[in-house]
Amino acid sequence: MLELLWLIPALPFAGFLILALFGSRLSRQSAAVIGVGSVGLSAILTLGIAIRFISSPPADHAFSQMLWQWISVDAFQPAITLYLDALSLVFIFVITFVGFFIHLYSSLFMYEEEGYSRFFAYMNLFVGSMLTLVLGNNLLLLYLGWEGVGLCSYLLIGFWYKDSENGYAARKAFVVTRVGDTAMAIGLFLLFTSFGTLDIQKLLQQAPQEWTINSTQAVLAAALLLGGAVGKSAQLPLQTWLPDAMAGPTPVSALIHAATMVTAGVYLIARTHVLFTLAPAVQTAVAVVGALTLLMAGFTALTQRDIKRVLAYSTISQIGYMFLGLGVGAWSAAVFHFMTHAFFKALLFLGAGVIIFVLHHEHDMFKMGGLRKKLPVTFWTFLIGSASLAALPLITAGFYSKDMILWYTFAGEQGNDWLWAAGLAGAFITSIYTFRMVFVTFYGEAQAEITHKPGMQLKVPLIVLAVFSLIAGFIELPHTLGHLTLFSHFMHSALPPTEVLHESVSLELLLQVIAAIAVLLGIYIAYHIFIRNRSIANNLTASGPGALLHRFWYSGWGFDKVYDTLFVNPLVWFAKINRNDFIDLIYTGIAGTSREFHRQLTRTQTGRLRWYATGIVIGAIITITVVVYL
């Protein structure tokens, strides 16, 4: 069964090729069957391979499959080789499983849109690229998938390219992530010059033998990889592209935020964890970046009116939790939160898409309201996803994964009280903005009329993802609820366990109770402000300091304005004054000089022989003079 591993990325790529070459000749039904079916077959294969892989002895929990030699230049001979272990298995499961339901949802959501087959071609390429990224056994193949998802994000964010704002959002995503990608590319050059290989397993074996902890090479390599990760995963300071990426269709938002692209940075750090353990300062920076990002994005989400932008900032914040876990050495906890987050965030985006779909593309939550009874399936599934995002205690998957990160942040060898306090504050803020979104959207008086109901192709993905948003957490019960740590035990074949300084069941229980109280208090505050007395929110934002703070948070803490001032505006100014490109002037000047010499020489061609004879005599005199005196 494992020998079929190559088919998992090959099927979406095949779907892309068919749709790209013949999509204009295919009916919409045929395009949907190819687009959805290719990812569905990959999901089925992933399930079969997962069963075979998990049932194999622990010693066999790593499988390599070389397909062909890619490059052979002297000692540099990277191959197209796929590598499957516990880490890559979790990622391909999420990519194919969640990706399939997003594709199924898209088959109805995008049915009336122009470019239907083109949409599925891009989506298939997106999934194939992400699968290549997580299955590549060397950093060069990983980088190919890395750039592939970057290209697809540009194509999909700007899918409705006739609107100039969508094109701008796509370009912004492409340019901002290129900053991180450049850092990552430099990091790959550094690793190759140091070890002579980009094979990930060889690098992880050689690095501890040749580099000492906190050595310059180790710190620089880890910092450059972190630069790539913050760009792709929209963490500080390169987070500005992700909210604007909401310009793309809602299924694209779900795919980018839940199963692909923004989690690539999490995978990169987890996969190269040895390099980060050799650079403790950089690993601490990962935790600090995560903590600051989750707080910044959480406060910003509190002020947004667009339901998709609330979810976008929520994604930035939740990936901040993953970075926090990675930074304190809670590798398995971070990957576990990646998995649960994929379920509930895909659910929330698809649920928001249903609302937008039936309300004629309305995005403003404050123009919705009263949808609880009109869209019961959407309401209950959206409520489950919101509860999981807010980490409602005991019954949601998000509680167990987030609780693991908070526990290791407090008790882990590399954690500390400040990071734990930031994570706890983030959980409190998350519960407020999440249930603000629920109460404003589904409760109160209806602000818009629904003219049609969502079909089963929209409802089925919501129901399935809602189930997983509830039950997925039970594969990793905390110690206080039992000793079943199935997920961590499985992940330890690929990632090291987290060292805990204060192993105490009573302490862990106390921290869980504190986190639960913070979440429940946040939900109550959201209920009190947005159900019982909405004038409170208006009064808070009407005052001078409150209005100023609201505008500051609403703008994403002014990062776009700072970047426009420092980078965008100077570049635009220079482009305007340099319309005739001074580089071009060099070449046009050479051509102009040649033309002028030609024009002057043509004036000597008069056809009069005596002028020609005079010229010959003058030339001879000059030549003889030069020879005699020089």
Side-chain angles (χ1 to χ4, degrees):
M1 187 71 180
L2 294 179
E3 288 71 22
L4 299 178
L5 179 64
W6 66 275
L7 279 173
I8 293 177
L11 286 168
F13 280 135
F16 160 71
L17 286 175
I18 294 171
L19 291 168
L21 295 174
F22 309 108
S24 59
R25 307 174 192 174
L26 297 173
S27 65
R28 290 180 181 262
Q29 291 82 358
S30 299
V33 168
I34 294 170
V36 178
S38 60
V39 180
L41 289 174
S42 285
I44 294 171
L45 269 174
T46 300
L47 186 60
I49 287 175
I51 294 171
R52 173 69 180 83
F53 185 83
I54 294 171
S55 62
S56 63
D60 297 333
H61 277 184
F63 173 75
S64 293
Q65 184 179 42
M66 178 177 173
L67 301 180
W68 65 83
Q69 189 68 41
W70 185 8
I71 300 171
S72 181
V73 180
D74 197 15
F76 183 55
Q77 297 180 340
I80 303 295
T81 302
L82 306 181
Y83 183 80
L84 182 69
D85 64 357
L87 178 61
S88 53
L89 181 61
V90 171
F91 272 81
I92 64 171
F93 170 73
V94 169
I95 294 165
T96 57
F97 183 83
V98 176
F100 165 71
F101 284 104
I102 293 173
H103 276 69
L104 178 63
Y105 177 99
S106 302
S107 63
L108 178 58
F109 188 89
M110 299 295 294
Y111 193 79
E112 299 298 330
E113 298 292 338
E114 183 182 350
Y116 190 71
S117 61
R118 176 169 59 90
F119 174 82
F120 278 108
Y122 294 164
M123 293 281 277
N124 278 189
L125 183 60
F126 207 159
V127 171
S129 298
M130 190 64 188
L131 289 169
T132 301
L133 190 159
V134 300
L135 285 173
N137 87 317
N138 65 76
L139 288 173
L140 189 61
L141 186 58
L142 182 152
Y143 193 68
L144 177 66
W146 187 276
E147 292 300 329
V149 296
L151 168 65
C152 293
S153 69
Y154 169 78
L155 295 172
L156 285 166
I157 293 169
F159 180 76
W160 290 316
Y161 58 87
K162 293 181 180 179
D163 187 335
S164 60
E165 291 186 4
N166 296 340
Y168 174 79
R171 293 193 301 276
K172 182 178 180 180
F174 195 80
V175 170
V176 172
T177 55
R178 287 294 74 72
V179 176
D181 294 354
T182 302
M184 181 180 172
I186 297 172
L188 299 191
F189 282 116
L190 173 61
L191 290 171
F192 179 74
T193 55
S194 299
F195 300 106
T197 181
L198 289 177
D199 184 281
I200 296 173
Q201 301 309 311
K202 290 182 180 178
L203 285 173
L204 300 186
Q205 292 172 5
Q206 294 180 27
Q209 299 172 4
E210 300 184 24
W211 285 350
T212 58
I213 293 178
N214 277 329
S215 64
T216 303
Q217 298 98 320
V219 170
L220 187 56
L224 289 168
L225 293 181
L226 174 59
V230 298
K232 221 59 159 188
S233 292
Q235 298 292 284
L236 284 169
L238 300 178
Q239 80 288 354
T240 56
W241 66 270
L242 192 57
D244 289 347
M246 297 303 97
T250 300
V252 173
S253 304
L255 193 63
I256 289 177
H257 288 244
T260 61
M261 187 150 173
V262 294
T263 55
V266 176
Y267 175 81
L268 177 67
I269 296 176
R271 175 56 77 196
T272 59
H273 61 275
V274 172
L275 300 178
F276 286 87
T277 57
L278 290 172
V282 179
Q283 189 173 352
T284 300
V286 175
V288 172
V289 165
L292 293 177
T293 303
L294 71 89
L295 289 174
M296 181 279 298
F299 282 117
T300 304
L302 280 172
T303 63
Q304 302 300 305
R305 297 177 64 94
D306 187 322
I307 189 170
K308 286 180 64 176
R309 289 182 73 89
V310 173
L311 294 174
Y313 281 107
S314 168
T315 297
I316 297 173
S317 180
Q318 295 306 303
I319 295 176
Y321 272 105
M322 299 175 207
F323 269 60
L324 177 60
L326 295 170
V328 299
W331 311 104
S332 297
V335 175
F336 185 44
H337 193 56
F338 150 76
M339 185 182 71
T340 61
H341 173 263
F343 295 134
F344 63 71
K345 187 51 61 68
L347 168 61
L348 289 171
F349 266 109
L350 298 185
V354 170
I355 297 168
I356 294 168
F357 183 76
V358 301
L359 293 182
H360 308 290
H361 302 287
E362 179 59 67
H363 287 235
D364 191 335
M365 296 185 300
F366 290 87
K367 295 181 180 179
M368 298 175 184
L371 298 177
R372 178 166 47 99
K373 296 180 180 179
K374 296 180 179 180
L375 298 171
V377 173
T378 304
F379 166 68
W380 286 108
T381 54
F382 197 91
L383 181 62
I384 291 171
S386 299
S388 193
L389 169 59
L392 192 66
L394 302 180
I395 61 172
T396 62
F399 166 74
Y400 295 105
S401 59
K402 193 176 293 185
D403 175 74
M404 280 185 66
I405 293 175
L406 290 175
W407 165 243
Y408 287 126
T409 300
F410 183 87
E413 186 177 13
Q414 300 174 58
N416 63 60
D417 296 348
W418 287 105
L419 293 175
W420 173 80
L424 182 66
F428 172 67
I429 297 166
T430 300
S431 63
I432 297 177
Y433 74 67
T434 300
F435 277 86
R436 166 185 178 263
M437 176 175 59
V438 172
F439 295 144
V440 170
T441 302
F442 291 98
Y443 287 81
E445 296 183 3
Q447 304 292 323
E449 194 67 32
I450 295 176
T451 56
H452 58 282
K453 297 290 185 178
M456 289 303 296
Q457 287 164 273
L458 301 184
K459 292 180 180 178
V460 168
L462 299 182
I463 295 170
V464 174
L465 291 170
V467 171
F468 277 88
S469 295
L470 290 175
I471 68 172
F474 295 117
I475 64 173
E476 183 72 358
L477 291 175
H479 295 282
T480 52
L481 299 177
H483 295 283
L484 298 175
T485 55
L486 300 178
F487 187 85
S488 290
H489 180 72
F490 175 62
M491 290 304 301
H492 288 166
S493 62
L495 297 170
T498 306
E499 298 295 331
V500 177
L501 296 178
H502 311 289
E503 185 69 58
S504 169
V505 172
S506 59
L507 177 61
E508 186 176 358
L509 180 60
L510 175 62
L511 294 180
Q512 288 171 8
V513 170
I514 293 174
I517 291 173
V519 170
L520 294 174
L521 179 61
I523 295 173
Y524 173 75
I525 290 174
Y527 169 76
H528 185 71
I529 294 177
F530 297 102
I531 292 292
R532 295 187 62 183
N533 191 355
R534 290 197 178 186
S535 62
I536 295 176
N538 295 330
N539 293 335
L540 287 174
T541 57
S543 63
L548 183 64
L549 191 61
H550 182 276
R551 287 196 300 270
F552 180 62
W553 286 351
Y554 184 82
S555 69
W557 294 55
F559 275 91
D560 278 314
K561 186 174 182 179
V562 170
Y563 291 158
D564 284 346
T565 303
L566 294 179
F567 304 111
V568 178
N569 293 340
L571 184 62
V572 172
W573 172 81
F574 181 74
K576 287 180 178 179
I577 67 172
N578 190 38
R579 289 182 182 275
N580 296 323
D581 198 340
F582 74 93
I583 299 295
D584 284 348
L585 290 177
I586 297 173
Y587 301 104
T588 56
I590 293 173
T593 303
S594 298
R595 285 197 299 269
E596 181 60 26
F597 274 119
H598 175 266
R599 191 174 66 83
Q600 295 300 330
L601 287 172
T602 57
R603 294 178 63 182
T604 66
Q605 306 304 306
T606 62
R608 297 176 181 178
L609 291 177
R610 57 186 176 182
W611 281 108
Y612 295 162
T614 303
I616 293 172
V617 171
I618 293 173
I621 293 171
I622 293 174
T623 303
I624 293 171
T625 302
V626 170
V627 170
V628 170
Y629 289 99
L630 298 180

